Amino acid sequence: MGVVLNIEGKREPASIKDLIDLTAADMGRVNELILSKAGSDVEMIPEVANHLISSGGKRLRPMLTLAAAQMFGYAGEGHVKLATAVEFMHTATLLHDDVVDESALRRGKKTARMIWGNQASVLVGDFLLGQAFRMMVEVGSLEALDILSSAASIIAEGEVMQLAAAKNLETTEDEHFAVIKAKTAALFSAAAEVGPVIARASRTDRVALRSYGMNLGLAFQLIDDALDYGGSSQDLGKNVGDDFREGKVTLPVILAYRRGTKAERTFWKRAIEDNVADDAGLEKAIGLMTRHGAIADTIGRARHFGEIARDALAPLEATPQKSALIDVIDFCISRVN
């Protein structure tokens, strides 16, 4: 179910191949460290952790950390530990998200909560966060620790903000941006910034990577918002329409609700607030979004943030890493084509 999003016709798909190639050796070490640090004598911990860790995510966030450190000539070992910490923070967030959202599917597989239960998912997420902070301390950079620990706090705030706004159709676009800035973009921003920090790059370079990561994260989440109503389970890593069924008020819903007629707003209230969200309702929701340009405008907002991310890197010296980071912007947005 859904509509196929193709805004500009066929073109060569964007790729993160250069980023993968540039970080391949370091990512091999990250993957080894992930398996090592996810280990525990408590049998359930590695079982739950490895269920999600091995489920096929692209590991984009740790690759940002590695590429950003390389970009400024970093030659130590700390970037591998920080990249692993970033991935553990992300994995912990997913474990917690699936409990809060009562999700059944993650990257095409049953969520951990469906196999081991909510309590195990939350507690293993906490274990991974603890391991992430241990690795940050081992690196010995107070600035990097400050950036990533602040991001962890902001992500939690974003989760609570989203919970408070759940099923609230009066949520404004600005309020939604505040949620996704905290919940998603903060970790992208921190992942990109800690690279130049441990490479002792200038403050200007640090700010550039921070801005790049923040705006990339906003673009990434807005594309996810759009894909929920017009993508595929493979693109999303979850069921298409899950946001609708869970009553999430994302940007396509906000725009369609505000632009709709009184009768259409009644439909949205019944679907989102009263939780009457069946397949027929999803089909109608997609039709209303298409009529009011809500999906196309969500993609337009994502492209806007993508351009801000691109401009953040523009003044920096040309390097293979810079080029690869720019490719990431195109890749994130091209998921709708």
Side-chain angles (χ1 to χ4, degrees):
M1 178 173 295
V3 293
V4 177
L5 299 175
N6 192 336
I7 305 302
E8 294 178 345
K10 287 188 176 180
R11 60 180 178 180
E12 283 296 307
S15 169
I16 55 169
K17 182 181 183 303
D18 287 349
L19 179 70
I20 292 170
D21 290 346
L22 285 166
T23 60
D26 285 338
M27 276 305 297
R29 294 155 69 202
V30 167
N31 289 330
E32 288 174 8
L33 196 54
I34 284 172
L35 293 174
S36 167
K37 296 294 184 179
S40 169
D41 292 336
V42 181
E43 188 176 329
M44 189 182 286
I45 289 175
E47 283 182 6
V48 176
N50 289 328
H51 174 76
L52 188 52
I53 288 166
S54 64
S55 64
K58 292 183 179 64
R59 302 210 168 135
L60 182 57
R61 293 158 188 82
M63 284 194 285
L64 295 182
T65 299
L66 298 174
Q70 290 176 7
M71 190 173 174
F72 298 99
Y74 181 72
E77 298 288 322
H79 64 321
V80 171
K81 288 185 177 179
L82 292 179
T84 307
V86 164
E87 183 64 9
F88 272 17
M89 288 173 67
H90 176 56
T91 304
T93 301
L94 297 183
L95 286 166
H96 292 163
D97 273 358
D98 287 341
V99 171
V100 173
D101 298 338
E102 299 181 345
S103 297
L105 190 70
R106 168 74 64 182
R107 294 172 185 158
K109 293 167 62 174
K110 279 187 178 180
T111 53
R113 63 173 286 271
M114 296 296 290
I115 301 171
W116 291 279
N118 287 337
Q119 296 95 329
S121 291
V122 171
L123 294 172
V124 173
D126 291 345
F127 170 82
L128 294 177
L129 281 175
Q131 292 291 71
F133 281 104
R134 286 178 67 180
M135 284 183 281
M136 293 176 213
V137 171
E138 286 171 10
V139 171
S141 167
L142 277 177
E143 285 183 284
L145 176 61
D146 180 47
I147 291 163
L148 287 170
S149 60
S150 295
S153 177
I154 291 166
I155 291 164
E157 287 178 339
E159 291 288 352
V160 176
M161 286 164 63
Q162 185 178 54
L163 196 61
K167 300 183 182 296
N168 180 11
L169 285 162
E170 301 306 320
T171 300
T172 65
E173 193 168 336
D174 284 344
E175 287 169 338
H176 181 62
F177 283 146
V179 169
I180 63 175
K181 186 175 182 180
K183 187 173 174 289
T184 302
L187 186 55
F188 274 91
S189 181
E193 187 181 1
V194 291
V197 163
I198 60 169
R200 302 190 181 279
S202 70
R203 184 181 181 281
T204 301
D205 292 334
R206 280 182 51 176
V207 170
L209 268 294
R210 182 196 310 158
S211 175
Y212 162 81
M214 180 63 70
N215 287 286
L216 174 67
L218 288 167
F220 183 93
Q221 185 58 55
L222 288 172
I223 294 299
D224 264 10
D225 287 356
L227 282 171
D228 197 72
Y229 292 95
S232 68
S233 296
Q234 186 176 356
D235 293 325
L236 279 168
K238 60 180 183 177
N239 289 316
V240 172
D242 271 358
D243 287 352
F244 180 74
R245 295 183 191 95
E246 292 164 9
K248 285 187 180 177
V249 180
T250 58
L251 188 58
V253 174
I254 291 167
L255 296 179
Y257 176 76
R258 291 184 172 273
R259 295 170 181 178
T261 64
K262 185 176 180 181
E264 289 169 359
R265 285 196 289 274
T266 299
F267 159 77
W268 285 112
K269 286 183 177 179
R270 179 172 158 77
I272 300 295
E273 294 179 356
D274 299 337
N275 204 32
V276 183
D278 54 15
D279 287 348
L282 176 59
E283 209 165 305
K284 181 171 182 178
I286 292 167
L288 293 177
M289 288 174 177
T290 303
R291 180 186 306 169
H292 294 294
I295 298 175
D297 285 351
T298 297
I299 295 164
R301 306 285 200 276
R303 288 201 171 114
H304 167 72
F305 288 116
E307 289 307 314
I308 298 174
R310 192 186 308 273
D311 286 340
L313 296 182
L316 303 183
E317 182 182 342
T319 64
Q321 289 80 11
K322 175 182 172 179
S323 177
L325 292 177
I326 290 170
D327 287 346
V328 175
I329 303 168
D330 296 328
F331 169 78
C332 286
I333 293 171
S334 74
R335 293 179 297 151
V336 297
N337 290 323

